[in-house]
Amino acid sequence: IKILITSDFFLNCGWGLLAPIFAIFIIQNITIGNLSEAAKVAGFGALFYWVTKSILQIPIGNYLDKNHGEIDDFWFMIVGMFLASLVPFGFLFSYLPWHIYLLQIVHAIAMAIVIPPWMAIFTRHIDKGKEALEWGMESTGIGLGAGIAGAVGGTLVALFGFQIVFILTGGFTFISAILLLLIRKEI
């Protein structure tokens, strides 16, 4: 449980760096100052992410439930997390709206592969009698990580530009994936 929470903390720190400044990136680098076009790109990017993730999670969860045992859950989680860690590096090279849409779809696929098995493993290993505490620790950890990272991400962009935030987001997501490998013996 501690490793799962720590991994999720790093994941949310990474993406928390990016979340508050992503629309600004779109304005400056994708639509080159066109605010109304940037708003559309940001909106459709969110659409592609959330619809793709939402559609895929149910069949992925159903598949994992039918294949009893945690080893398939574990490897889905690992592969998805490593895939998610590549997406921010793609933003470094994006300059057209379809690049954003494609990367949002890849990120959504990755997270649809990560979230159902992560929650299943967390639920199976949660300490009896400490369910509320441990889910509370999970929620607090990701909230603190994303919140603090948001301020840090905005500051980093102001000082050094977007590239450092994309690199750190990918790096934190990669660390999150590495941390998950530590629970392999428990699976």
Side-chain angles (χ1 to χ4, degrees), residues 21 25 28-29 153-166:
I21 54 90
F25 168 76
Q28 287 186 355
N29 298 310
T155 303
L156 288 173
V157 167
L159 295 173
F160 306 109
F162 291 103
Q163 292 78 11
I164 188 69
V165 171
F166 294 137

Side-chain angles (χ1 to χ4, degrees), residues 42-125:
F44 276 97
L47 170 80
F48 287 120
Y49 175 83
W50 286 107
V51 169
T52 302
K53 181 177 161 290
S54 297
I55 289 171
L56 292 177
Q57 283 183 132
I58 293 171
I60 289 170
N62 189 45
Y63 171 80
L64 292 171
D65 283 344
K66 286 184 178 182
N67 291 305
H68 300 291
E70 283 188 325
I71 197 68
D72 59 336
D73 292 6
F74 174 77
W75 287 112
F76 263 66
M77 190 172 59
I78 296 296
V79 168
M81 197 68 79
F82 279 115
L83 179 60
S85 75
L86 298 176
V87 171
F89 297 105
F91 292 134
L92 289 169
F93 304 103
S94 61
Y95 59 92
L96 294 171
W98 73 266
H99 298 158
I100 299 300
Y101 304 149
L102 178 63
L103 289 165
Q104 289 291 76
I105 290 168
V106 172
H107 185 212
I109 292 167
M111 295 314 294
I113 293 170
V114 169
I115 291 172
W118 188 98
M119 290 185 156
I121 292 170
F122 191 92
T123 300
R124 284 187 215 111
H125 291 269

